[in-house]
Amino acid sequence: MVVVANRLPFDLKKQPDGSTIARQAPGGLVTALAPILSRREGAWIGWAGDADVELDPTTTDGLTLHPLPLSADEISAYYEGFSNGTLWPLYHDAIADPEYHRHWWDAYRRVNRRFAEKSAEVAADGAVVWIHDYQLLLVPAMLRELRPDVRIGFFQHIPFPPVELYMRLPWRKEIIAGMLGADLIGFQVSGAVRNFARLARTLVGADVSGSSLSYADRNIRVGAFPISIDAKAQSELAVRPEVTEAAAKLRSDLGNPRKLILGVDRLDYTKGINVRLRAFGELLAERDPAVDGATMIQIATPSRERLGSYVRTRENIERQVGAINGDYGRIGHPAVSYLHQSFPRDELAAFYVAADVMAVTPLRDGMNLVAKEYIACRTDGDGVLLLSEFTGAAGELRQSLLVNPYDTNGVKETLRTALQMPHQEQKKRMRFLRRQVRTHDVDAWAKTFLSTLEDTKDPVAAALKRLPAEVKSAVRSLADEQYLLVGTDFDGVLSPLVEDPAAARPLPAAIDALRTLAVLPNTSVAVISGRSLDQLRLLVGDAGPVHLVGSHGAEDAGISGLVHHAAHTGPTPTTLTDDEQHLKDRLDRAVADLAEKYPTIRLEHKPTGIAVHLRGTTPEVETAVAQEITRGMAEWDGVRVLPGKKVLELSVVTADKGRALAGLRSALGGPRTIFLGDDVTDEHAFGVLQPGDVGVKVGPGETAAKLRISDPRQVADLLTALAAARQTHKFPLQ
Ligand code: ADP
Ligand code: G6P
């Protein structure tokens, strides 16, 4: 594997005597990647952190560092300019004003090309090349051009901006196209994935389907992969005697304060250091009892120090600290201890161990690893994390105290709550937080990203890998079947079951595969559902030649739509006879009364009947409603009741999925058939299958089907594998 990032894990400095000294590079990217790479063999291409440093590659423990030199001009235009003067502020909600300069863009392109060339030179045949972050957005496409044989992953550590903001960028198309050179593009959160996919469609015309994009005749996967830390190592560090001793000394040096608040950040305007200082300062000014005997430590690592916006941020913070200390400090006991320094990891861990409250208040942050490091260090289960809603970490660390950093009163109130939180509650919250960080560590992150990248090589092989052996062999046997009918239920099969039936959505991969199957020669596809045809049309979308059958077969979109190349006659509307209509009206009234009596049930009106949904009710209500229906409406002449999973289907016409499937099958001349279903109502369909046909039950429960898979995800796998298998099979043309 080759990792490509703007920075190497170490800043390397050449000494006058020719030797080099190394120091861990700043920032979360290096914190996360360094432990992963130390456990794998590979190469890391990056800048050594100083101008014009020409160094040879060095190898330690199987990891080779390839320094890529940058000239002073390149640092100014590519790194400080386009990367940190244009992209960084633009991608962080334009907290500082992004600047757009054409010569910065030219330098960015030139340096990205050099990174691509170096990667092409270092990567072995068919290697995995993993490119990181906003400084290298053009490298994926540039590298693909040079080395089409390598597998390219791209991960963006910082946020992806809202569409309206991104659209300001004069080079917006080039950047999206550059990223699309990768096989897999990862972001921290799913909102970023959505923003990116929308832009890829509107700006360069990529075809978006779920988590797949197709662009320039290639498929690209996109997804959210929230990054993390080496939680185990961080926790182990926190319990080392020298660290706990240092933590105790820290507190005693501060005069054993009642409460210690900590902030740890790169000195960056995105981090909201001013927000927490303001909140603390105001509480002190108000002599709030919560801050009585409290003190704060703010560590701010020097960062990007030549940029004007960073110089100003530093000045403002230092002015704020000075003012607070001037007003509330005492000799030997400042209200805020401010350290504009970088610390070794063990010393930093001592700060985390010593702190009662960790204040993390960025205005925007891709993830924020500091929050996770604090949690990993709290092996005693104490401590309170105050966390900005606008960090990627907030999506995972729900038991922290979440704040809106733009709401000063809210931050003050939450800081007060944090300082007064009883130990029992601290421990309760910390238990959840620690479990999250322990189970979602950086190793899990890397494994998920790299295995998804591996799957992009051959999605069919990946799908097959996840299927049980007997299902795989059924797929193989259906691949070269002369004529095949693929029938499937909708809920619980194409779409995961959800509490509210209106919120059900099919898995994009399953729908994609159905569509692919439906346009193949000698292959017909039908979705047979209990839902009304109208709903099914909405849910399955523009399904092309996928045939839709609603209300258990009572509503059929017209058989001619199923036969390839035949003119589509359009749907046959369901018409009820006068008697049926009369009966339906009577049913409508009766179930309305039922819904009034049991308000937790949900009704779904269909042209030929009504579905009474019981999901979300209590078992008592379920039994009572079932009893009322079986003793009442079910006894009426002409009414049929089909019990399903947490649903009772009342219908005034005689229809079930068995009749529907058998009808389709005979209209098509009796092709071999595979049917997938999960519900009791699908058993009718399994019941009409002939020898040689394939029935697949999805999920647990008794069934007449011969095969079983576990969930809709596996349905998508089965259909994907079947579509690919039939696609590659040579069929005689009709
Ligand atoms: P960013 O990547 O934007 O800097 P993160 O919170 O994700 O923000 O990561 C910051 C990383 O830098 C963490 O691993 C943290 O431990 C480290 N760090 C922050 N301040 C210091 C410091 N003063 N000395 C050493 N490491 C620091
Ligand atoms: C953030 C970025 C990284 C960057 C780091 C430090 O974590 O996502 O790409 O390396 O900040 O910034 P610097 O400009 O010093 O590399």
Side-chain angles (χ1 to χ4, degrees):
M1 182 167 71
V2 180
V3 160
V4 192
N6 174 56
R7 271 188 189 277
L8 285 175
F10 303 103
D11 280 350
L12 305 170
K13 254 202 163 73
K14 233 182 186 157
Q15 298 300 98
D17 65 358
S19 65
T20 347
I21 48 164
R23 221 182 125 139
Q24 170 143 352
L29 180 151
V30 164
T31 304
L33 290 182
I36 293 170
L37 264 287
S38 71
R39 289 193 275 272
R40 282 183 166 83
E41 298 216 333
W44 185 321
I45 298 169
W47 169 52
D50 219 345
D52 295 312
V53 190
E54 299 269 358
L55 290 166
D56 292 330
T58 50
T59 305
T60 358
D61 297 333
L63 174 66
T64 308
L65 303 184
H66 294 268
L68 189 133
L70 292 182
S71 68
D73 283 349
E74 283 170 338
I75 292 172
S76 150
Y78 146 78
Y79 168 71
E80 294 173 332
F82 198 76
S83 298
N84 290 308
T86 307
L87 293 176
W88 179 270
L90 182 69
Y91 281 36
H92 285 85
D93 288 355
I95 298 164
D97 273 342
E99 289 179 42
Y100 307 95
H101 298 297
R102 283 163 288 184
H103 69 283
W104 283 2
W105 165 247
D106 292 340
Y108 185 82
R109 263 199 325 213
R110 274 198 309 276
V111 174
N112 269 237
R113 178 150 313 275
R114 289 192 27 228
F115 270 96
E117 284 163 359
K118 178 57 112 184
S119 312
E121 180 192 314
V122 169
D125 271 353
V128 165
V129 181
W130 196 358
I131 301 158
H132 290 266
D133 230 357
Y134 63 102
Q135 303 91 342
L136 304 178
L137 297 170
L138 303 176
V139 176
M142 290 173 169
L143 176 60
R144 176 159 304 283
E145 230 179 83
L146 297 169
R147 288 288 303 273
D149 62 301
V150 297
R151 200 118 285 268
I152 305 174
F154 175 80
F155 185 77
Q156 183 164 305
H157 293 249
I158 67 170
F160 192 88
V163 172
E164 303 71 39
L165 267 182
Y166 184 83
M167 290 301 278
R168 293 184 192 173
L169 192 61
W171 307 279
R172 58 198 185 186
K173 275 193 193 175
E174 288 88 333
I175 290 206
I176 298 283
M179 295 169 79
L180 287 170
D183 295 293
L184 171 64
I185 304 173
F187 296 95
Q188 302 277 23
V189 295
S190 51
V193 179
R194 279 196 295 276
N195 291 350
F196 176 77
R198 209 174 126 195
L199 283 161
R201 188 173 46 223
T202 49
L203 288 177
V204 299
D207 198 9
V208 181
S209 164
S211 59
S212 292
L213 304 183
S214 85
Y215 173 69
D217 294 329
R218 293 173 38 247
N219 282 326
I220 300 120
R221 283 277 299 270
V222 283
F225 302 87
I227 203 169
S228 195
I229 56 164
D230 187 345
K232 187 162 170 274
Q234 188 75 35
S235 297
E236 284 169 2
L237 186 62
V239 293
R240 280 207 211 149
E242 65 272 25
V243 170
T244 50
E245 279 157 25
K249 178 160 186 311
L250 205 66
R251 290 192 75 111
S252 91
D253 286 351
L254 289 166
N256 287 316
R258 197 181 60 79
K259 289 284 173 182
L260 175 56
I261 307 164
L262 176 66
V264 175
D265 314 76
R266 262 185 319 101
L267 203 159
D268 194 301
Y269 50 82
T270 59
K271 300 288 182 185
I273 299 173
N274 55 334
V275 170
R276 67 193 82 132
L277 286 173
R278 191 182 314 130
F280 184 50
E282 287 191 15
L283 287 175
L284 288 172
E286 292 159 16
R287 299 188 184 286
D288 194 294
V291 291
D292 188 26
T295 184
M296 181 168 175
I297 300 179
Q298 176 61 55
I299 299 177
T301 327
S303 182
R304 306 172 194 164
E305 290 192 278
R306 299 194 324 169
L307 268 80
S309 46
Y310 286 75
V311 172
R312 284 190 293 280
T313 306
R314 179 174 175 189
E315 282 166 4
N316 289 339
I317 289 170
E318 293 181 353
R319 196 174 307 124
Q320 246 181 316
V321 170
I324 296 175
N325 281 336
D327 287 340
Y328 311 107
R330 286 180 293 122
I331 298 292
H333 296 285
V336 179
S337 303
Y338 167 72
L339 301 159
H340 184 239
Q341 298 159 34
S342 170
F343 290 91
R345 300 212 62 78
D346 53 344
E347 287 184 35
L348 197 59
F351 284 101
Y352 291 137
V353 172
D356 302 295
V357 174
M358 181 80 211
V360 179
T361 53
L363 304 173
R364 178 58 75 190
D365 207 334
M367 175 53 60
N368 196 285
L369 294 182
V370 161
K372 293 187 173 181
E373 288 170 359
Y374 177 67
I375 293 168
C377 283
R378 304 308 306 188
T379 52
D380 59 358
D382 273 340
V384 185
L385 173 64
L386 186 147
L387 180 63
S388 159
E389 289 168 22
F390 303 127
T391 59
E396 290 177 74
L397 307 177
R398 305 306 294 175
Q399 285 76 17
S400 57
L401 293 184
L402 294 177
V403 291
N404 170 1
Y406 291 95
D407 170 13
T408 307
N409 277 345
V411 177
K412 275 168 70 181
E413 197 46 53
T414 314
L415 184 55
R416 191 188 287 129
T417 308
L419 289 165
Q420 292 175 327
M421 188 180 284
H423 277 285
Q424 217 181 354
E425 187 176 349
Q426 291 187 26
K427 284 198 186 304
K428 199 171 93 197
R429 287 171 181 266
M430 200 42 92
R431 213 174 25 246
F432 282 107
L433 293 170
R434 287 183 58 77
R435 187 182 314 137
Q436 173 67 22
V437 173
R438 201 172 48 237
T439 51
H440 295 76
D441 65 359
V442 75
D443 254 339
W445 168 79
K447 278 201 188 104
T448 318
F449 186 93
L450 291 172
S451 70
T452 312
L453 180 58
E454 188 59 29
D455 286 355
T456 61
K457 205 186 318 180
D458 189 349
V460 177
L464 275 170
K465 210 165 58 191
R466 291 189 288 258
L467 290 171
E470 63 281 11
V471 176
K472 259 188 263 193
S473 62
V475 167
R476 264 185 226 112
S477 84
L478 296 174
D480 46 12
E481 188 60 43
Q482 236 336 297
Y483 192 3
L484 181 69
L485 168 60
V486 181
T488 161
D489 176 31
F490 180 80
D491 290 281
V493 176
L494 296 177
S495 140
L497 288 176
V498 285
E499 191 93 328
D500 175 9
R505 293 291 173 273
L507 294 180
I511 296 291
D512 279 355
L514 277 189
R515 284 185 194 152
T516 310
L517 278 164
V519 294
L520 289 177
N522 298 335
T523 312
S524 296
V525 176
V527 178
I528 306 174
S529 163
R531 288 187 184 251
S532 73
L533 194 53
D534 275 350
Q535 274 201 11
L536 210 50
R537 276 204 196 95
L538 275 178
L539 289 168
V540 177
D542 174 20
V546 174
H547 183 67
L548 302 179
V549 180
S551 304
H552 298 275
E555 292 185 283
D556 193 313
I559 196 74
S560 59
L562 192 58
V563 181
H564 288 301
H565 314 302
H568 183 58
T569 55
T572 35
T574 313
T575 38
L576 298 180
T577 62
D578 286 348
D579 282 351
E580 286 167 344
Q581 190 58 54
H582 181 71
L583 192 57
K584 168 115 195 316
D585 294 343
R586 219 178 125 205
L587 266 188
D588 280 347
R589 288 193 296 274
V591 290
D593 289 346
L594 204 61
E596 206 160 288
K597 190 160 163 196
Y598 303 102
T600 51
I601 65 173
R602 255 188 290 241
L603 303 181
E604 184 192 345
H605 291 274
K606 301 178 182 183
T608 57
I610 302 141
V612 180
H613 290 280
L614 303 169
R615 205 170 281 282
T617 63
T618 60
E620 292 75 35
V621 170
E622 230 175 88
T623 321
V625 171
Q627 266 180 10
E628 291 216 20
I629 288 180
T630 9
R631 288 188 196 147
M633 293 164 251
E635 296 288 318
W636 300 355
D637 241 9
V639 171
R640 272 172 55 91
V641 180
L642 276 177
K645 271 188 199 159
K646 305 261 180 205
V647 61
L648 292 165
E649 297 271 357
L650 303 169
S651 167
V652 295
V653 298
T654 307
D656 67 46
K657 291 183 186 175
R659 286 166 202 256
L661 185 64
L664 283 178
R665 199 171 193 279
S666 77
L668 295 168
R672 196 168 164 206
T673 300
I674 173 172
F675 185 81
L676 297 97
D678 72 314
D679 205 344
V680 258
T681 59
D682 296 319
E683 291 301 318
H684 294 288
F686 292 135
V688 301
L689 293 178
Q690 308 276 314
D693 286 347
V694 178
V696 185
K697 166 91 173 169
V698 183
E702 262 191 47
T703 182
K706 293 272 177 338
L707 298 176
R708 191 188 296 274
I709 53 181
S710 56
D711 54 21
R713 191 53 251 158
Q714 282 200 330
V715 171
D717 287 339
L718 188 159
L719 295 172
T720 305
L722 183 59
R726 281 184 79 76
Q727 233 168 357
T728 48
H729 185 83
K730 299 276 173 289
F731 291 96
L733 288 171
Q734 272 180 330

